[in-house]
Amino acid sequence: MNTVKVPFTGGTLPPEEIKRVKALGCLQDKRYADVFNVRVITRNGKITSEEHRVIAEAAERFGSGAVTMTTRLTLEIQGVRHADIQPLIDFLGEHGLSTGGTGSLVRPVVSCKGTTCQYGLCDTYGLSEKLHEKFYVGYHGVTLPHKFKIAVGGCPNNCVKPDLNDLGIIGQRVPMVDFAKCRGCGRCQVQQSCPVKVAKVLDGKIRIDPTECNNCGRCKGKCPFGALEEYQEGFKIYIGGRWGKRVAHGRPLTRIFTSEEEVMDVVEKAILLFRDEGISGERFADTVDRLGFDYVNDKLLSDSIDKDAILKKTVKGGATC
């Protein structure tokens, strides 16, 4: 049974102070006037055993002793009195940990366990850490019209819902059929293994509709005659997803990206486009709808975004949570 200390409650805090500490990743506990839950940033859900120990000690020293997990794979130290917020932040900082994860900014990046999962088609840990360092850390002083969430999924199973984030990345394995090796078997192993039932033998040859195939790669090596041995490894990028009160399903950009460098470039363009053409208080899904998917798709696939000019702009953030 988990037993935690009851927080001490003091006087009412002014709204501007509540707003100030919220920007530091400290969210007021609605039950108490001067008690907060403090978000500790992880590397996309990964922390070391030593960092675990530090967070546990911090929860005991400055909070109620309880630690919860957020949907963005950060940790929250519960029950921190207002007077203990700065000592807690200082203590975490001494051990290389930081708080945050709020505001009209790039939010902490999330990823599935595709690096180790049997279905993973890409190194989700490696890619998401690169995204974390460049955009969560590197863009931390760059205000956006609203929050901007990024998710990295290792395969089309979509466990971290990449298509319900402002920008989502999904590992891909695009089949390249060698028709010369296909014998049109009556019981085709490729057809039998396809989880979405789009691989079919038609007119004596295996056919895979590229508009229906989700590029999960499950058919790799299934043909005993080697008709499906070659694949294009890559990434599909979704834009304009959102969960919450108004759910929006993201749409994929019109090409498969074949390197992490290409992915990083497109992510940066998407953030810059949102900063440049988004409206304060508007999520990226609404920006995409207002501007038109085709327009945004073309901008992200071109070199027409002026990074320096966009970063010099003054932008007012509209995120309230």
Side-chain angles (χ1 to χ4, degrees), residues 122-189:
C122 63
D123 179 7
T124 56
Y125 289 156
L127 177 56
S128 60
E129 286 192 26
K130 290 177 182 177
L131 292 163
H132 174 89
E133 288 300 321
K134 183 165 184 178
F135 301 116
Y136 175 74
V137 177
Y139 268 54
H140 204 61
V142 178
T143 300
L144 301 175
H146 209 297
K147 56 190 171 187
F148 191 91
K149 297 181 176 181
I150 302 171
V152 181
C155 78
N157 282 349
N158 293 341
C159 294
V160 291
K161 310 177 188 69
D163 61 337
L164 292 179
N165 279 254
D166 296 281
L167 186 143
I169 301 157
I170 300 177
Q172 299 278 277
R173 182 170 286 160
V174 184
M176 302 172 68
V177 181
D178 186 343
F179 292 105
K181 294 181 179 179
C182 175
R183 300 190 182 184
C185 300
R187 187 173 176 81
C188 173
Q189 296 302 307

Side-chain angles (χ1 to χ4, degrees), residues 60-104:
E60 290 288 344
R61 287 178 57 179
F62 304 103
S64 67
V67 179
T68 61
M69 290 164 280
T70 74
T71 59
R72 301 301 295 177
L73 303 182
T74 63
L75 298 176
E76 277 190 7
I77 295 175
Q78 303 285 293
V80 180
R81 290 176 53 194
H82 176 260
D84 288 327
I85 286 177
Q86 194 57 53
L88 167 61
I89 291 174
D90 293 341
F91 175 78
L92 293 170
E94 291 169 3
H95 295 85
L97 293 166
S98 62
T99 64
T102 59
S104 299

Side-chain angles (χ1 to χ4, degrees), residues 162-294:
D163 61 337
L164 292 179
N165 279 254
D166 296 281
L167 186 143
I169 301 157
I170 300 177
Q172 299 278 277
R173 182 170 286 160
V174 184
M176 302 172 68
V177 181
D178 186 343
F179 292 105
K181 294 181 179 179
C182 175
R183 300 190 182 184
C185 300
R187 187 173 176 81
C188 173
Q189 296 302 307
V190 172
Q191 181 173 321
Q192 293 295 316
S193 67
C194 179
V196 291
K197 308 304 179 185
V198 299
K200 299 176 181 179
V201 175
L202 299 172
D203 299 323
K205 294 291 181 180
I206 186 67
R207 307 290 179 182
I208 302 175
D209 185 344
T211 64
E212 297 292 332
C213 179
N214 67 4
N215 304 322
C216 68
R218 302 279 188 90
C219 55
K220 185 174 183 177
K222 298 299 183 182
C223 176
F225 306 106
L228 275 124
E229 296 295 328
E230 297 296 324
Y231 289 76
Q232 180 188 57
E233 308 283 351
F235 306 88
K236 182 178 287 187
I237 296 180
Y238 283 82
I239 59 169
R242 177 187 59 222
W243 61 38
K245 293 180 287 296
R246 292 191 303 124
V247 174
H249 287 272
R251 293 178 60 181
L253 298 180
T254 54
R255 56 164 290 199
I256 299 295
F257 301 89
T258 57
S259 71
E260 290 186 353
E261 291 72 25
E262 287 183 322
V263 171
M264 297 291 286
D265 180 62
V266 171
V267 173
E268 185 165 42
K269 287 178 179 177
I271 294 169
L272 292 170
L273 183 145
F274 184 41
R275 187 171 204 271
D276 187 33
E277 302 195 45
I279 298 171
S280 178
E282 175 180 76
R283 288 293 296 273
F284 191 45
D286 301 315
T287 303
V288 173
D289 283 345
R290 178 171 54 79
L291 297 176
F293 174 81
D294 291 340

